Amino acid sequence: MTVPLDRSPAGSFGVRQVATTGPGLDGRLADLLDGQMIVMTGVTGFIGEQLLWKILTELPTTRAGVIVRRKGSQTAHDRVLALLKKKIFTDVVAAAGSREALMEQRIQVIEGDLPNVPELPDELDVVVHCAGDVSFDPPIDQAFTTNVIGTQRLMERMLEASQRSGKTPHYVHISTAYTAGRRRGAIPETAHVHDIDHRVETARGLELRAVVETQSRTSERLTALREEAEVEHRQAGLLTTAADTERRRKAWVEEELVKAGTERARSLGWTDVYTFTKALAERVVAEVGAEIPVSVVRPAIVESSWKHPYPGWIEGFKMAEPLILAYGRGDLPEFPASPDSVVDIVPCDHVVNATLAVCATRPEPGKPEFYHVNSGARNPLTFSELYGHVRNYFLAHPFAGGDKGIPSLPVWKFPGAAAVEKVLSTTERRHKVGEAVLRRMPRGEVARSLAKTLDKTRTRLDFLHKYLGLYNEYAQSELHFVDDNTLRLHHCLHPDDVDAFAFDSAAYDWTTYLEEVHCPSITEPVRRMDALRRKRGNRASTMKALPPRAEGDDSPSDVVAVFDLDGTIMTTNVVEQYLWARLPELSNGRKVAEVASLIRDLPGWLRAEKRDRGGFLRAMYRRYAGADLAALEQHVDTAMAGHILERLAPEAVRRIREHRAAGHTTILITGVVRPLTRPLAPLFDVIVAADLATDEQGRCTGYLATPALVGESRAAWLTHYASLHGIDLTRSYAYADSHSDLPWLSVVGHPVAVNPEIPLMRAATSRQWTTVDWESTPQTPVWVMPNRQTRTGPTGTADLTEPRKGE
């Protein structure tokens, strides 16, 4: 069939484009596909979901067979039921009566995945393969497994069904226009010419995981990874460090496999492993489908719908969305694109419509038909034009401003990739200097503020490196996808089908599509989440409100609230506490000698604390040797209590009271020696502290009766306590300030970082834990030694002993 094309004499590429011949359409699609079964993969994906919707709504006598994998405990059948809850299926579900009825009438669920394709139904007529690994940078073995082996297994299963039924199916393969790789100029709708052996490449690609896994376990690699983990997690404990070492090893393996895929693809002329393996999959299609009708649909960059199911319909973020949103936030200062390069965007509904039109054709066996579904041939959009439309949209509809007001939109000059990379390198160096300064800063709010700024910069840099690296070649490509075959098929549509199934890329203008359809669609959920965050505030979810227990409810609670002492509920440390306890009993001369000795030893202790806090505490407590324990306890009760209590943070005391009012068991876990915790007894049901060993005369030996609980030992104690007392740790709370507390904070369901050290602050942020500042303003300077007094200080024993409800 020859169809006259309605286009200019010379296309956008300056190349005269002529009519082509190929399989056409001899009626309405509903009639051509009447009574047929279309088996499809990828139904839970972007294109596949809309493809299923289109079949159900516009092809009333066509059945769909959907290959869906089980996900955890959710069966394939359950996943399809959940899919049919989505808004676009509302009308078709209502017409059927229920989701179950719709599935019974129109959908056959086939549980399986790629490459583990199950037996396909004998009655299939068309197979549409639109599943695959669509990320640009998957590990090389994953890309080959899904895109190449998965395609081969699917086609083999299709041919098995064909042999059983005697029917000849039509295989429709959804590929990508970018299988053309690094070619330049006009790309025709034909098979790409190359001499790559897909069998060899697949075999070698799959072998690489074992090779890289072996490399990751060499002593040199493990030593390097362990040392990196120790720098970050040494204080948290050996097991935490070991877990992070293994996490780093696995991440290294994945990173190496990603690099291997990228470099292998580029060494053979493709931009990335995604387009490389999709190109090899096309070769598999040609070989396995040599004796059946085969069509290959090659979409360009698929974005939100132009018209159906409704303008702007999209599922998740695709290729352009992260960059558009980053620009709107003011976080994309430049982009390494050629301003006159074509960014070949096509609406999703055009891809779906073209695919179903292709399904209704009947190509000649052994002669695959190729279809480019793109806009660049007849409705080109350049990067400079895309930038202009996106900028216009955000100038008219900016994101709501935060503390710093409405984001300032960058002005792009398109300086080229080298200039953009130079800016990134300069920012990287500045960030490195900032981290070096941060490591030398004293702990406090200024350091935390700098850390937050550096973390935002790091996140921005990582984003820019990732996306600029992935999209750099696409942004400078000179590919021109000829779409003669696709346009010819569009003109073959029956007049009754044009409204529902049109896919002519000249049908829309970019101002309307980008500024009135696409950008509003992708920013709407972001704006909604931003509004929710503003309404909720910055308070993260692990800091829950604590309503008091009901009046008269004396039942035991299975929730504990565990608090650290120094730096968390109290602004002091073990050195200060030692001086308060020991100096008053010494003569002036011995006081001077003791302080001098302490100053001399302190740098070594601080270095030891970075390696092992338990060792630091043991060294510190050796200085208690010879002290009378009973006298120390009396000194705490009569002289030090007020000194200690006035250093409690009011917010901490309030939070502890809330837990007690809620019926929770309150626990204090500290490395402080037990006598110094005596003034805090009214606040806590359980106090776990360091017990000083004594001789027969009751004098301290300088040793501990048992090792101090620090780091991972606190997590072990808490887990054991919970098992003994029926505590539900997933409902329990923990409050701490140090990175060494990370293991036991991770044990509970509601961890809170209080005045955190930088490493803990970063860990809390990454885990979405609440971070709070609890500050105290003691009236007595730290250098003033406690005097004998009553126990009631500014905070006061009376303030601490309010009974919980029910007592």
Side-chain angles (χ1 to χ4, degrees):
M1 173 180 286
T2 303
V3 180
L5 304 186
D6 181 17
R7 59 168 66 185
S8 59
S12 62
F13 315 137
V15 177
R16 183 173 296 278
Q17 296 164 326
V18 298
T20 61
T21 60
L25 301 170
D26 298 320
R28 297 171 60 249
L29 295 188
D31 296 331
L32 295 173
L33 296 170
D34 176 38
Q36 295 195 16
M37 171 180 277
I38 299 177
V39 171
M40 55 185 292
T41 63
V43 70
T44 57
F46 178 41
I47 295 175
E49 180 182 329
Q50 191 182 139
L51 189 62
L52 176 64
W53 171 82
K54 199 77 171 186
I55 292 171
L56 296 177
T57 55
E58 299 292 344
L59 304 175
T61 59
T62 302
R63 282 179 54 80
V66 295
I67 302 175
V68 179
R69 66 181 176 88
R70 173 186 288 269
K71 192 172 184 180
S73 61
Q74 194 176 30
T75 66
H77 184 273
D78 292 339
R79 293 189 69 195
V80 176
L81 272 178
L83 178 68
L84 295 177
K85 284 184 177 180
K86 292 191 175 183
K87 174 183 175 181
I88 64 172
F89 295 103
T90 301
D91 291 343
V92 69
V93 167
S98 67
R99 290 178 294 140
E100 292 78 3
L102 178 61
M103 291 181 66
E104 178 67 26
Q105 298 162 17
R106 303 286 306 280
I107 304 171
Q108 180 175 342
V109 178
I110 307 161
E111 187 165 297
D113 61 2
L114 301 177
N116 304 310
V117 182
E119 184 176 283
L120 301 183
D122 295 353
E123 59 268 30
L124 66 83
D125 298 282
V126 182
V127 172
V128 180
H129 181 27
C130 55
D133 198 317
V134 297
S135 62
F136 292 126
D137 60 344
I140 187 171
D141 61 319
Q142 180 179 313
F144 274 103
T145 298
T146 303
N147 292 338
V148 181
I149 298 177
T151 297
Q152 182 171 339
R153 295 285 191 270
L154 176 65
M155 295 190 73
E156 290 170 347
R157 286 296 198 181
M158 175 189 66
L159 294 178
E160 291 171 5
S162 175
Q163 290 173 354
R164 292 192 301 268
S165 66
K167 299 169 64 174
T168 303
H170 178 193
Y171 177 78
V172 179
H173 186 77
I174 310 300
S175 185
T176 172
Y178 293 94
T179 52
R182 287 172 147 177
R183 293 174 174 83
R184 294 187 175 189
I187 306 299
E189 292 170 293
T190 60
H192 299 308
V193 178
H194 63 78
D195 59 358
I196 309 300
D197 188 328
H198 67 84
R199 296 176 185 81
V200 172
E201 290 300 321
T202 300
R204 296 296 176 264
L206 296 179
E207 290 170 357
L208 276 176
R209 178 167 291 275
V211 172
V212 176
E213 282 282 354
T214 299
Q215 293 173 348
S216 75
R217 288 171 164 81
T218 63
S219 59
E220 295 82 5
R221 177 56 51 193
L222 290 174
T223 298
L225 295 172
R226 177 179 54 78
E227 289 176 349
E228 291 174 4
E230 286 177 348
V231 168
E232 186 171 344
H233 294 294
R234 180 184 290 113
Q235 282 191 313
L238 297 176
L239 294 182
T240 303
T241 301
D244 190 58
T245 301
E246 179 62 7
R247 180 194 64 80
R248 291 171 186 268
R249 186 195 67 79
K250 291 178 179 179
W252 183 86
V253 169
E254 298 304 305
E255 289 167 6
E256 289 300 304
L257 291 171
V258 169
K259 290 178 185 177
T262 300
E263 290 307 316
R264 184 53 179 160
R266 291 179 178 175
S267 73
L268 293 173
W270 278 269
T271 54
D272 47 55
V273 74
Y274 166 68
T275 56
F276 176 46
T277 53
K278 292 294 277 188
L280 296 186
E282 287 190 9
R283 185 61 58 85
V284 169
V285 169
E287 291 182 4
V288 180
E291 298 181 358
I292 63 171
V294 167
S295 300
V296 178
V297 178
R298 292 173 175 163
I301 301 170
V302 186
E303 294 293 345
S304 65
S305 289
W306 167 244
K307 188 175 182 181
H308 299 122
Y310 53 83
W313 179 87
I314 193 170
E315 288 282 318
F317 286 163
K318 307 307 165 190
M319 182 173 178
E321 284 68 57
L323 302 180
I324 292 174
L325 294 174
Y327 180 81
R329 298 283 196 196
D331 291 334
L332 195 60
E334 265 296 352
F335 194 69
S338 300
D340 55 356
S341 287
V342 171
V343 52
D344 213 319
I345 291 174
V346 60
C348 181
D349 51 344
H350 279 218
V351 177
V352 168
N353 292 345
T355 299
L356 288 174
V358 169
C359 288
T361 66
R362 196 67 179 176
E364 185 179 341
K367 294 183 178 181
E369 291 289 334
F370 293 82
Y371 301 87
H372 285 154
V373 187
N374 62 298
S375 59
R378 307 186 65 246
N379 191 6
L381 172 72
T382 65
F383 270 97
S384 61
E385 291 169 338
L386 172 63
Y387 158 73
H389 288 303
V390 172
R391 181 174 176 82
N392 287 343
Y393 171 75
F394 281 113
L395 286 173
H397 310 282
F399 280 125
D403 297 337
K404 297 182 180 180
I406 294 173
S408 177
L409 298 179
V411 177
W412 286 3
K413 301 295 185 181
F414 296 98
V420 173
E421 184 59 38
K422 184 177 180 180
V423 172
L424 287 179
S425 297
T426 301
T427 308
E428 282 282 6
R429 288 194 295 271
R430 291 174 179 170
H431 182 270
K432 187 175 181 180
V433 171
E435 287 287 350
V437 171
L438 181 63
R439 286 193 294 270
R440 290 162 175 79
M441 288 181 67
R443 177 177 171 180
E445 184 53 39
V446 174
R448 289 197 291 272
S449 178
L450 175 59
K452 291 175 183 177
T453 300
L454 289 171
D455 290 347
K456 289 179 181 178
T457 301
R458 179 74 269 158
T459 300
R460 186 181 184 190
L461 282 169
D462 290 344
F463 172 86
L464 293 174
H465 280 304
K466 176 180 179 180
Y467 284 99
L468 299 186
L470 286 176
Y471 297 163
N472 182 42
E473 295 211 21
Y474 294 91
Q476 302 180 63
S477 80
E478 297 178 13
L479 294 170
H480 308 307
F481 304 114
V482 176
D483 67 345
D484 291 355
N485 215 19
T486 303
L487 186 61
R488 176 195 54 75
L489 186 63
H490 168 79
H491 282 295
C492 288
L493 286 173
H494 190 279
D496 293 348
D497 281 341
V498 171
D499 182 63
F501 289 99
F503 47 93
D504 179 6
S505 62
Y508 50 88
D509 69 277
W510 292 112
T511 299
T512 304
Y513 177 75
L514 289 170
E515 298 184 32
E516 299 177 21
V517 175
H518 185 62
C519 286
S521 175
I522 65 173
T523 57
E524 189 275 332
V526 177
R527 296 178 193 277
R528 190 168 61 245
M529 287 301 299
D530 286 349
L532 182 61
R533 291 189 189 98
R534 288 193 299 272
K535 181 178 180 180
R536 189 177 62 188
N538 294 324
R539 193 174 188 177
S541 59
T542 57
M543 184 78 166
K544 301 290 186 182
L546 299 173
R549 69 196 308 180
E551 191 73 37
D553 181 5
D554 296 327
S555 60
S557 172
D558 61 352
V559 175
V560 295
V562 191
F563 294 81
D564 177 45
L565 181 60
D566 295 344
T568 302
I569 68 171
M570 182 175 176
T571 54
T572 184
N573 57 66
V574 294
V575 176
E576 292 176 358
Q577 295 158 4
Y578 167 76
L579 292 174
W580 297 342
R582 291 288 278 157
L583 290 189
E585 70 175 0
L586 301 179
S587 65
N588 290 337
R590 290 185 62 192
K591 286 179 182 179
V592 172
E594 185 67 18
V595 172
S597 173
L598 194 64
I599 292 173
R600 183 192 67 231
D601 294 341
L602 190 58
W605 288 347
L606 294 178
R607 288 192 297 271
E609 183 183 25
K610 292 182 178 180
R611 297 190 301 270
D612 177 13
R613 180 163 176 79
F616 162 73
L617 292 177
R618 283 190 290 272
M620 185 70 225
Y621 295 155
R622 291 290 294 273
R623 306 186 79 89
Y624 280 98
D628 186 305
L629 183 59
L632 176 61
E633 291 174 344
Q634 183 180 16
H635 176 66
V636 170
D637 292 342
T638 58
M640 287 182 62
H643 218 62
I644 292 171
L645 294 177
E646 72 170 355
R647 281 164 172 75
L648 291 174
E651 295 93 340
V653 175
R654 189 176 302 116
R655 187 65 175 175
I656 296 168
R657 287 175 180 165
E658 289 174 356
H659 279 292
R660 293 176 68 85
H664 301 163
T665 299
T666 55
I667 302 175
L668 176 67
I669 299 184
T670 178
V672 169
V673 293
R674 187 172 297 280
L676 298 179
T677 68
R678 291 167 66 87
L680 306 176
L683 284 173
F684 296 100
D685 300 297
V686 179
I687 294 179
V688 182
D691 289 301
L692 294 167
T694 58
D695 59 20
E696 295 179 354
Q697 285 74 43
R699 291 195 171 275
C700 299
T701 64
Y703 301 111
L704 295 175
T706 58
L709 287 184
V710 296
E712 291 164 350
S713 62
R714 293 188 179 185
W717 182 92
L718 186 55
T719 302
H720 182 62
Y721 180 90
S723 66
L724 291 178
H725 298 276
I727 300 300
D728 184 352
L729 289 178
T730 64
R731 298 177 57 232
S732 295
Y733 298 75
Y735 304 81
D737 70 304
S738 173
H739 188 54
S740 64
D741 300 315
L742 181 62
W744 65 280
L745 286 172
S746 302
V747 167
V748 301
H750 303 292
V752 178
V754 182
N755 312 324
E757 296 175 345
I758 301 305
L760 180 60
M761 183 195 78
R762 286 173 164 167
T765 300
S766 68
R767 292 164 170 80
Q768 297 184 316
W769 295 350
T770 299
T771 297
V772 297
D773 291 324
W774 289 346
E775 300 295 339
S776 65
T777 54
Q779 298 176 0
T780 307
V782 67
W783 60 83
V784 175
M785 292 298 103
N787 295 315
R788 189 173 298 275
Q789 58 186 16
T790 64
R791 288 188 60 190
T792 304
T795 306
T797 300
D799 293 334
L800 302 183
T801 55
E802 292 182 2
R804 69 172 77 186
K805 289 190 176 183
E807 288 185 345

